[in-house]
């Protein structure tokens, strides 16, 4: 590729796509050390042009997929455009098998060619979704050749919108940090360190705990949480709420009295409020540029309302979201505002997968609140929005789902990326141990309910919350095996209808990453009894390096549920109050494990629209999915069930053709109400991914 070509292109992808014209060669081999071809939008465009991407990592797995799917097509004289992608750093295409090298054309792409004037070690750390902004900045203002620090400053300014050297006061600093952490922009550590370095040069920021709150969103939100009651106390002393602070007072305390000013700090600057995080005790929450974030942080559960009985505020005030009143009143207000928020932020058919996961977290907050309440009005409105939402989501999945499979595991987009992320963490640390808890059937909204109880049960527990995509169809045997194998279902066709191979697949995965089988543990059927006893029987804390644990209590609740989603939340709440999950997480952390939690699929309340009378032709007959050995057999049934989708077998075995339910419909008797899974609703497909830590402050 010509290094200078990037400045003439409207997108960095164009320089790559020019080399991919259909029917040029049935096989293309690509050295792609920077994972450019698997970037979501580019992968989607390649698929739209007819190219299939397959990653070459394990030679045995690759040979199976290559021979079973593509060689057979070519042997029949049919054409397909296959791209074999080699991601290994410093690996040459000659690493590939000889028969491929003889048959395929060879290409190579890297970030150094796309951004020739920027420091490669810096841009290599960026999430690939950020390259668009970087490329556009390079196009508009072509930089001279830059070193590491200059490149970092260029990225901070043009990609993250932070001109660190121009941040002059507390409002500007707080606004920059809110933009960074609320937007989940995934700032790499080296950029965070550069930002800290520049900010520490400002005398006004020396007291701020920059090394903690710049790189870590959980620490930043905890920092804000500590200072919110102090802000409210000053409002209470003034007995009023002022909607805006004038710009000229940016960074200065607005509600102060002589006693307040004297009591906030001692002369040597030590806090008198019992704050864990150092720094100013007064933050300009009511500045017009700040309060727009604060309101949403309370609505979305990132900040927790506090009691403030001496403050009178209007119901419509921005402050109201951060004040806890009676549970019913507080929930009603939050529900009303969350409805407005989700309706405003519904993703479009062109959204990125990260837009959907970010939205799903907000949707889950609302879903949990509504189903833990008893308002039929709220439930009706939730259903109406949910129906429109899932219609858009199903269309998006049909077009975009395939582009997620080969994304890098750094921020797992799909469940089979999760163990690869754990493996990377272990390799990077050299000594850490990892535990993965899979809560079978746990929907994202049900996780919200559990999270609130865990916070009460262990105040020092830090939960780094995100979300990821399950495999479709959203069945345990498909999606859970993908978790424990670290592979798409294509690679376990013989066990796709069972979970009995999970332990073997889990240990095989870790053997491939240099561990002995004796270092790896697996246990399922958990959720009741003594968590400490379960762990002590499953692992040896001093020797077991990796443990996989299946908690199936939620799935059991779901399959016996006759009271809909509200009943599910009530039962899950009762189970969580028993303390099994809190005890398990706590003990694993005490043993020194890096602890993650996820789910194989979620669930949704749905209604029967008819049960197919197909005899034995369906290999899987679920409530939300039917699976057939051929597309012809599937088509015969699909015609009678217009609510169902003939799901394309992306990443699935060759003889596996699902018919999945959309919306809130199910393959059960008309009128029967169930809580089920298997389909393509957002409540089934996007599941929690949570990392647990202890608060070290």
């Amino acid at each position: 590729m010509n290094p200078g070509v990037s400045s003439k292109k409207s997108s960095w992808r164009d320089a790559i796509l020019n080399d991919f014209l259909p029917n040029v060669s049935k096989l293309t081999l690509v050295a792609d050390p920077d994972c450019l071809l698997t970037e979501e939008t580019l992968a989607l465009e390649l698929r739209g042009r007819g190219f299939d991407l397959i990653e070459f990592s394990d030679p045995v797995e690759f040979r199976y997929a290559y021979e079973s799917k593509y060689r057979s097509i070519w042997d029949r004289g049919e054409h397909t455009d296959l791209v074999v992608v080699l991601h290994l750093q410093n690996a040459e295409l000659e690493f590939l098998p000889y028969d491929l090298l003889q048959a395929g054309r060879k290409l190579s792409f890297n970030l150094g060619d796309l951004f020739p004037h920027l420091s490669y070690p810096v841009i290599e750390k960026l999430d690939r979704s950020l390259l668009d902004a970087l490329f556009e900045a390079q196009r508009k203002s072509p930089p001279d050749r830059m070193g590491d620090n200059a490149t970092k400053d260029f990225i901070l300014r043009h990609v993250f919108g932070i001109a660190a050297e121009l941040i002059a006061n507390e409002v500007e600093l707080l606004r920059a940090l809110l933009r960074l952490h609320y937007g989940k922009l995934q700032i790499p550590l080296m950029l965070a360190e550069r930002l800290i370095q520049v900010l520490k040069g400002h005398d006004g920021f020396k007291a701020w705990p920059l090394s903690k709150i710049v790189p870590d969103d959980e620490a930043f939100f905890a920092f804000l949480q500590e200072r919110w009651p102090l802000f409210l106390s000053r409002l209470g002393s003034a007995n009023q709420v002022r909607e805006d602070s004038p710009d000229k007072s940016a960074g200065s305390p607005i509600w102060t009295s002589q006693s307040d000013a004297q009591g906030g700090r001692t002369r040597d600057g030590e806090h008198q409020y019992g704050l864990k995080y150092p720094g100013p005790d007064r933050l300009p929450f009511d500045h017009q540029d700040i309060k727009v974030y604060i309101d949403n942080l309370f609505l979305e559960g990132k900040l927790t309302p506090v009691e403030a009985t001496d403050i009178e505020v209007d119901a419509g005030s921005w402050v109201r979201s951060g004040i806890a009143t009676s549970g019913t009143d507080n929930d009603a207000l939050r529900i009303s505002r969350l409805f407005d928020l989700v309706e405003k932020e519904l993703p479009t058919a062109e959204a990125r997968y990260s837009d959907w996961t970010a939205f799903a977290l907000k949707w889950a907050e609302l879903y949990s609140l509504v189903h833990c309440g008893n308002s039929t009005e709220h439930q009706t409105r939730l259903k109406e929005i949910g129906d429109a939402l899932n219609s858009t989501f199903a269309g998006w999945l049909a077009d975009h789902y395939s582009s997620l499979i080969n994304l890098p595991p750094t921020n797992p987009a799909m469940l089979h990326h999760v163990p690869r992320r754990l493996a990377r963490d272990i390799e990077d640390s050299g000594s850490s141990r990892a535990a993965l808890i899979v809560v079978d059937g746990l929907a994202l909204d049900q996780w919200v309910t559990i999270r609130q109880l865990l916070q009460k049960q262990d105040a020092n527990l830090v939960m780094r919350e995100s979300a990821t995509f399950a495999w479709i169809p959203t069945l345990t045997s498909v999606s859970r095996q993908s978790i424990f194998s670290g592979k798409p279902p294509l690679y376990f066709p013989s066990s796709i209808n069972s979970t009995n191979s999970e332990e073997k697949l889990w240990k095989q995965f870790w053997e491939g990453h240099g561990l002995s089988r004796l270092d790896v543990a697996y246990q399922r059927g958990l959720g009741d009894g003594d968590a400490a006893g379960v762990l002590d029987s499953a692992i040896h804390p001093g020797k077991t390096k990796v443990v996989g644990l299946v908690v199936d209590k939620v799935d059991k609740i779901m399959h016996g549920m006759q009271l809909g989603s509200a009943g599910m939340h009530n039962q899950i709440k009762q189970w969580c109050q028993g303390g099994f999950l809190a005890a398990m997480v706590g003990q694993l952390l005490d043993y020194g494990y890096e602890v993650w939690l996820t789910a194989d699929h979620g669930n949704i309340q749905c209604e029967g629209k008819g049960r197919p009378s197909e005899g034995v032709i369906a290999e899987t007959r679920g409530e939300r999915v039917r699976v057939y050995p051929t597309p012809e057999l599937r088509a015969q049934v699909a015609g009678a069930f217009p609510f169902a989708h003939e799901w394309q077998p992306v990443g699935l075995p060759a003889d596996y053709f699902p018919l999945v339910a959309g919306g809130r419909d199910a393959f059960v008797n008309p009128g029967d109400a169930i809580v089920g899974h298997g389909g393509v609703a957002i409540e089934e497909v996007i599941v929690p991914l949570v990392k647990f830590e202890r608060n070290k402050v």
Side-chain angles (χ1 to χ4, degrees):
M1 209 169 70
N2 180 356
V5 76
S6 60
S7 63
K8 302 175 184 178
K9 303 293 180 180
S10 60
S11 164
W12 64 268
R13 300 175 190 86
D14 293 340
I16 296 173
L17 289 169
N18 285 343
D19 284 317
F20 289 93
L21 300 175
N23 302 316
V24 171
S25 174
K26 67 180 182 182
L27 179 63
T28 302
L29 312 175
V30 181
D32 182 28
D34 298 317
C35 300
L36 297 174
L37 262 67
T38 53
E39 184 270 337
E40 182 182 357
T41 303
L42 183 54
L44 188 66
E45 178 62 29
L46 287 171
R47 187 166 184 83
R49 295 186 179 193
F51 290 91
D52 282 355
L53 269 62
I54 185 169
E55 184 179 346
F56 187 94
S57 53
D58 183 288
V60 176
E61 289 177 5
F62 169 80
R63 184 60 65 178
Y64 168 78
Y66 178 68
E67 297 291 342
S68 64
K69 185 173 182 180
Y70 296 101
R71 278 290 295 272
S72 59
I73 294 174
W74 298 338
D75 289 345
R76 293 195 301 267
E78 300 173 17
H79 182 86
T80 182
D81 290 302
L82 175 63
V83 180
V84 177
V85 185
L86 185 64
H87 288 317
L88 297 176
Q89 288 288 343
N90 303 318
E92 301 293 334
L93 287 177
E94 281 63 32
F95 178 79
L96 294 171
Y98 180 76
D99 61 322
L100 269 69
L101 292 172
Q102 290 297 105
R105 64 171 181 150
K106 305 171 186 63
L107 298 172
S108 176
F109 305 103
N110 63 76
L111 284 167
D113 288 342
L114 291 171
F115 302 96
H117 298 297
L118 302 179
S119 168
Y120 177 83
V122 176
I123 59 176
E124 185 267 331
K125 299 296 184 184
L126 283 182
D127 187 277
R128 301 301 177 255
S129 65
L130 301 174
L131 295 183
D132 287 315
L134 185 61
F135 189 88
E136 181 66 10
Q138 175 183 260
R139 189 182 66 83
K140 287 184 175 178
S141 305
D144 296 328
R145 187 167 293 277
M146 293 181 174
D148 288 356
N149 281 342
T151 298
K152 292 172 186 177
D153 293 341
F154 187 83
I155 294 171
L156 284 170
R157 178 185 290 268
H158 294 287
V159 175
F160 293 91
I162 299 174
E165 72 281 4
L166 300 181
I167 296 175
N169 55 54
E170 289 185 338
V171 167
E172 292 174 0
L173 175 58
L174 196 57
R175 181 173 57 210
L177 293 175
L178 282 164
R179 185 175 182 275
L180 186 66
H181 292 306
Y182 180 72
K184 291 281 187 181
L185 291 179
Q186 299 293 337
I187 187 169
L189 182 59
M190 66 167 58
L191 290 185
E193 291 171 344
R194 174 60 178 172
L195 178 56
I196 293 166
Q197 180 188 15
V198 176
L199 291 173
K200 281 185 173 179
H202 192 296
D203 289 340
F205 304 146
K206 291 188 181 300
W208 285 64
L210 297 172
S211 60
K212 293 186 180 296
I213 65 176
V214 171
D216 187 344
D217 55 349
E218 293 295 333
F220 175 64
F221 294 142
F223 170 76
L224 297 182
Q225 184 74 56
E226 283 191 330
R227 281 144 177 87
W228 180 249
L230 303 181
F231 173 77
L232 291 181
S233 70
R234 291 191 293 277
L235 293 187
S237 65
N239 196 31
Q240 58 176 325
V241 176
R242 196 152 100 205
E243 285 300 304
D244 285 300
S245 63
D247 288 349
K248 66 181 181 181
S249 65
S252 304
I254 296 166
W255 306 106
T256 55
S257 65
Q258 187 175 4
S259 61
D260 186 36
Q262 293 174 350
R265 297 169 179 266
T266 61
R267 280 179 293 183
D268 62 1
E270 293 180 355
H271 290 290
Q272 299 300 297
Y273 299 117
L275 302 176
K276 294 179 181 178
Y277 288 89
D281 48 77
R282 298 166 183 163
L283 295 180
F285 286 115
D286 56 350
H287 190 280
Q288 59 187 0
D289 293 345
I290 307 301
K291 68 181 184 179
V292 293
Y293 289 99
I294 301 301
D295 189 26
N296 281 0
L297 290 174
F298 281 112
L299 289 179
E300 296 171 30
K302 294 179 174 66
L303 297 179
T304 304
V306 301
E307 293 186 4
T309 56
D310 57 341
I311 301 176
E312 296 180 7
V313 297
D314 295 333
S317 170
W318 71 275
V319 179
R320 182 65 183 79
S321 296
I323 299 176
T325 54
S326 71
T328 304
D329 291 343
N330 207 55
D331 287 351
L333 175 68
R334 197 167 164 227
I335 287 170
S336 174
R337 292 196 167 185
L338 274 170
F339 268 124
D340 294 339
L341 182 67
V342 299
E343 287 184 312
K344 184 175 67 175
E345 297 189 4
L346 283 171
T348 66
E350 291 74 40
R352 302 181 69 92
Y353 89 89
S354 54
D355 298 324
W356 280 105
T357 53
F359 177 84
L361 289 164
K362 300 171 186 177
W363 180 245
E365 291 285 340
L366 176 60
Y367 215 91
S368 174
L369 279 169
V370 169
H371 286 298
C372 288
N374 54 13
S375 169
T376 35
E377 181 184 346
H378 287 157
Q379 291 181 7
T380 300
R381 188 178 177 188
L382 189 77
K383 183 178 180 300
E384 290 172 352
I385 297 173
D387 289 345
L389 165 66
N390 273 316
S391 177
T392 303
F393 185 61
W396 183 90
L397 286 173
D399 292 335
H400 292 255
Y401 188 79
S402 62
S403 67
L404 308 183
I405 297 172
N406 294 314
L407 286 173
T410 312
N411 301 302
M414 291 190 69
L415 283 172
H416 67 286
H417 299 157
V418 173
R420 293 159 63 189
R421 165 64 191 273
L422 268 61
R424 179 173 292 188
D425 288 353
I426 289 176
E427 290 165 5
D428 290 346
S429 67
S431 61
S432 74
R433 295 188 292 265
L436 179 60
I437 302 170
V438 180
V439 184
D440 194 327
L442 182 69
L444 194 53
D445 57 283
Q446 293 151 5
W447 157 250
V448 171
T449 298
I450 287 175
R451 180 196 70 207
Q452 294 165 350
L453 291 169
L454 291 176
Q455 287 172 331
K456 294 177 181 177
Q457 291 169 329
D458 188 345
N460 289 318
L461 199 60
V462 176
M463 291 169 274
R464 301 190 181 278
E465 186 181 75
S466 57
T468 188
F469 280 71
W471 271 91
I472 299 171
T474 47
L475 294 171
T476 297
S477 62
V478 177
S479 210
R480 208 171 81 191
Q481 281 194 109
S482 284
I483 299 174
F484 287 113
S485 67
K487 304 172 188 174
L490 168 69
Y491 295 105
F492 47 85
S494 61
S495 64
I496 196 164
N497 295 315
S498 166
T499 58
N500 293 332
S501 298
E502 282 179 355
E503 182 172 6
K504 179 184 72 174
L505 292 169
W506 180 240
K507 291 184 175 181
Q508 283 177 349
F509 173 85
W510 288 105
E511 281 183 311
H513 286 80
L515 298 187
S516 162
R517 285 187 169 235
L518 299 176
D519 296 328
V520 183
Y522 167 90
Q523 189 88 6
R524 67 179 183 178
L526 309 177
D528 291 310
D530 177 25
V534 167
L535 287 179
D536 288 341
S537 66
I539 65 174
H540 190 298
K543 295 181 179 179
T544 306
K545 292 185 178 181
V546 176
V547 56
L549 302 164
V550 178
V551 175
D552 62 359
K553 186 68 177 182
V554 172
D555 194 63
K556 288 179 178 177
I557 292 172
M558 176 180 58
H559 287 294
M561 182 50 56
Q562 297 180 344
L563 299 175
S565 294
M568 279 287 297
H569 278 269
N570 185 52
Q571 290 290 309
I572 289 170
K573 189 181 292 186
Q574 290 184 33
W575 167 70
C576 193
Q577 286 170 339
F580 181 91
L581 186 59
M584 174 174 281
V585 171
Q587 187 150 340
L588 287 167
L589 290 171
D590 292 343
Y591 284 158
Y593 285 91
E594 181 178 283
V595 184
W596 291 75
L597 177 146
T598 192
D600 52 349
H601 57 78
N603 54 77
I604 187 170
Q605 182 176 330
C606 44
E607 184 175 324
K609 290 298 174 67
R611 192 184 300 271
S613 55
E614 56 203 357
V616 296
I617 65 171
E619 297 184 347
T620 298
R621 292 180 288 278
E623 296 160 335
R624 293 265 295 163
V625 61
R626 320 288 281 196
V627 180
Y628 304 88
T630 69
E632 292 78 14
L633 289 172
R634 179 177 63 180
Q636 290 177 21
V637 179
F641 295 90
F643 65 82
H645 303 269
E646 296 181 66
W647 183 252
Q648 295 303 308
V650 177
L652 299 172
D655 58 349
Y656 196 89
F657 294 90
L659 182 66
V660 297
R664 296 177 177 273
D665 302 318
F667 297 113
V668 299
N669 293 329
D672 285 358
I674 63 162
V675 178
H677 62 92
V680 292
I682 193 171
E683 295 86 354
E684 300 165 289
V685 175
I686 299 183
V687 295
L689 180 61
V690 185
K691 185 181 181 184
F692 295 97
E693 296 172 4
R694 291 278 189 216
N695 192 343
K696 298 175 184 175
V697 179

